[in-house]
């Protein structure tokens, strides 16, 4: 009887047998690729767990129940879903036969990025010299993008930098899922919304960027630039909204212009228009990586115009200053901010 009740509870409440994994503060991802193949990522490392589902149907039922709870459909006619649960967890699921070996479920736990710059420095993300440079960059209201791969710490660094913004400024953050939680007295957070079961009611990040511009932002922040909203963001940064920022998926600072080209094309912006807007809108690129030693700031670059295009000149990389350092110092001096030693 107790076993039957436990099974019923797992079928009806929360994430079933995955719930203890999701409650672990160290968990970032829970991945199910079969009834007896459940993996968890903790502190950057992937481990196979002892969690088991009774059968394939149990995995499918869980995936469908979670999708329904997020207002989405998951069945043979719509065999995959990408949604956000009520607690902010990201759900992705694929049903057979698209998933050849059985229903696949991916759950990413989004925890508020609450570290400040001092904490990140103590953790070895960057040294004291770079910490001073980052604070000066924020004080000078330079617009910047934090770039890197999935799980590299982009949002954590961005949130810490926003915590350095003066208390008298208003920060408006636009995100697909609320992750940014800067320690600041005046933060407005806007989150996108997926369509409901009838396919209506969607509110995109691009829609919210437009709304944010009417909310008197001193700092406009897009938590993750991943689509056509790049057009509105660059337009805003070119019309008096200094000090804006966001994150972008990119493998290196040098790839940022090409990545933004691809995103801007989704919004109908031409390559030449993108580079023209980018040259005037964004000054600095911060590249973060995750390696066996943890998450760290790997490079700082300055965006400069090169003919009709924009390229990124390294100011700091591989543990030492590079040729773009003078360009960065000039940007700070132009804005009457002291250059860190």
């Amino acid at each position: 009887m107790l076993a039957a009740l436990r099974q019923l509870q797992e079928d009806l409440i929360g994430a079933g047998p995955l719930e203890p994994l999701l409650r672990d503060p160290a968990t970032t991802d829970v991945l199910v690729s079969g009834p007896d193949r459940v993996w968890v990522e903790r502190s950057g490392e992937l481990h196979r767990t002892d969690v088991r589902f009774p059968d394939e149907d149990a995995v499918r039922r869980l995936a469908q129940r979670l999708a329904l709870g997020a207002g989405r459909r998951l069945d043979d006619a719509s065999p995959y879903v990408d949604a956000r649960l009520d607690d902010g967890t990201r759900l992705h699921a694929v049903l057979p036969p698209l998933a050849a070996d059985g229903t696949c479920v991916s759950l990413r736990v989004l925890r508020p990025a609450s570290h400040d710059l001092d904490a990140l420095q103590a953790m070895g993300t960057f040294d004291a010299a770079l910490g001073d440079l980052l604070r000066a960059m924020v004080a000078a209201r330079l617009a910047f993008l934090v770039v890197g791969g999935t799980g590299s710490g982009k949002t954590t660094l961005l949130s810490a930098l926003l915590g350095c913004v003066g208390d008298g400024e208003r920060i408006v953050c636009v995100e697909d899922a609320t992750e940014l939680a800067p320690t600041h007295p005046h933060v407005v957070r806007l989150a996108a919304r997926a369509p409901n079961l009838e396919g209506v009611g969607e509110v995109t990040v691009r829609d919210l960027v437009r709304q944010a511009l009417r909310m008197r932002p001193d700092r406009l922040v897009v938590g993750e630039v991943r689509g056509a909203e790049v057009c509105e963001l660059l337009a805003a940064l070119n019309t008096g909204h200094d000090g804006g920022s966001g994150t972008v998926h990119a493998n290196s600072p040098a790839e940022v212009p090409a990545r933004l080209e691809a995103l801007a094309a989704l919004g109908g912006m031409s390559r030449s228009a993108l580079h023209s807007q980018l040259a005037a809108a964004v000054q600095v690129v911060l590249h973060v990586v995750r390696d066996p030693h943890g998450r760290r700031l790997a490079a700082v670059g300055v965006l400069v115009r090169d003919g009709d295009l924009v390229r990124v000149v390294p100011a700091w990389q591989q543990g030492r200053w590079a040729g773009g350092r003078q360009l960065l110092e000039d940007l700070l001096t132009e804005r009457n901010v002291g250059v860190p030693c």
Side-chain angles (χ1 to χ4, degrees):
M1 177 63 75
L2 289 177
L5 288 174
R6 188 178 299 110
Q7 182 63 51
L8 181 62
Q9 184 182 43
E10 290 183 349
D11 285 344
L12 296 177
I13 300 175
L18 305 181
E19 195 66 35
L21 301 177
L22 295 173
R23 287 199 300 263
D24 186 336
T27 296
T28 53
D29 291 88
V30 176
L31 310 171
V32 182
S33 51
D36 59 349
R37 288 175 292 159
V38 178
W39 300 76
V40 63
E41 180 176 316
R42 294 189 181 101
S43 304
E45 296 186 4
L46 202 59
H47 305 278
R48 189 166 183 170
T49 73
D50 295 329
V51 174
R52 298 289 184 272
F53 287 83
D55 50 36
E56 160 61 20
D57 286 342
V59 182
R60 182 186 180 103
R61 286 196 305 271
L62 174 64
Q64 291 178 315
R65 180 168 58 76
L66 292 175
L68 183 62
R72 305 298 293 277
R73 176 180 173 184
L74 182 63
D75 52 31
D76 291 338
S78 182
Y80 53 84
V81 67
D82 187 6
R84 186 171 72 244
L85 305 182
D86 288 342
D87 64 358
T89 300
R90 287 181 178 173
L91 163 70
H92 185 270
V94 185
L95 298 180
L98 275 66
D101 298 321
T103 301
C104 288
V105 180
S106 302
L107 294 168
R108 164 154 288 189
V109 183
L110 301 181
R111 306 190 189 281
S114 57
H115 294 300
D116 61 17
L117 280 187
D118 289 336
L120 292 182
Q121 182 175 318
M123 294 164 60
T125 304
F126 47 79
D127 60 21
L130 277 182
D132 291 340
L133 175 66
L134 294 175
R135 292 179 179 85
M137 183 185 74
V138 174
R141 298 183 61 84
L142 298 182
F144 63 90
L145 295 173
V146 184
V147 307
T150 300
S152 59
K154 300 186 299 296
T155 301
T156 299
L157 179 57
L158 175 57
S159 186
L161 290 168
L162 294 177
C164 297
V165 173
D167 289 353
E169 297 186 55
R170 174 178 168 93
I171 303 172
V172 180
C173 300
V174 177
E175 298 179 86
D176 183 56
T178 51
E179 294 182 80
L180 289 170
T183 304
H184 192 277
H186 199 166
V187 178
V188 177
R189 301 195 298 166
L190 305 178
R193 185 177 68 191
N196 61 19
L197 287 171
E198 286 75 36
V200 298
E202 180 181 21
V203 179
T204 67
V205 171
R206 190 176 193 183
D207 295 330
L208 291 178
V209 171
R210 293 170 181 165
Q211 300 309 310
L213 292 175
R214 295 167 174 80
M215 299 175 69
R216 196 214 166 273
D218 289 303
R219 306 265 184 163
L220 178 61
V221 181
V222 178
E224 183 176 343
V225 181
R226 60 196 304 181
E229 65 273 4
V230 68
C231 301
E232 277 72 24
L233 176 62
L234 292 179
L237 297 181
N238 272 296
T239 54
H241 293 84
D242 290 340
S245 56
T247 70
V248 178
H249 279 275
N251 293 324
S252 71
E255 295 180 13
V256 171
R259 173 67 172 153
L260 295 182
E261 279 182 29
L263 298 180
L266 299 175
M269 182 181 286
S270 67
R271 185 189 191 201
S272 59
L274 177 278
H275 282 267
S276 179
Q277 293 265 31
L278 182 60
V282 180
Q283 290 84 41
V284 180
V285 171
L286 307 174
H287 181 220
V288 291
V289 298
R290 183 177 67 174
D291 57 26
H293 304 292
R295 295 173 175 84
R296 60 185 177 85
L297 179 58
V300 178
V302 180
L303 276 72
V304 298
R305 187 183 289 274
D306 187 1
D308 294 332
L309 303 179
V310 170
R311 63 185 177 91
V312 179
V313 178
W316 187 90
Q317 62 180 359
Q318 297 180 347
R320 58 180 180 273
W321 294 104
R325 178 180 183 178
Q326 187 60 52
L327 295 173
L328 186 52
E329 292 181 351
D330 290 344
L331 288 172
L332 296 175
T333 301
E334 287 172 8
R335 299 186 179 221
N336 299 314
V337 173
V339 178
C341 297

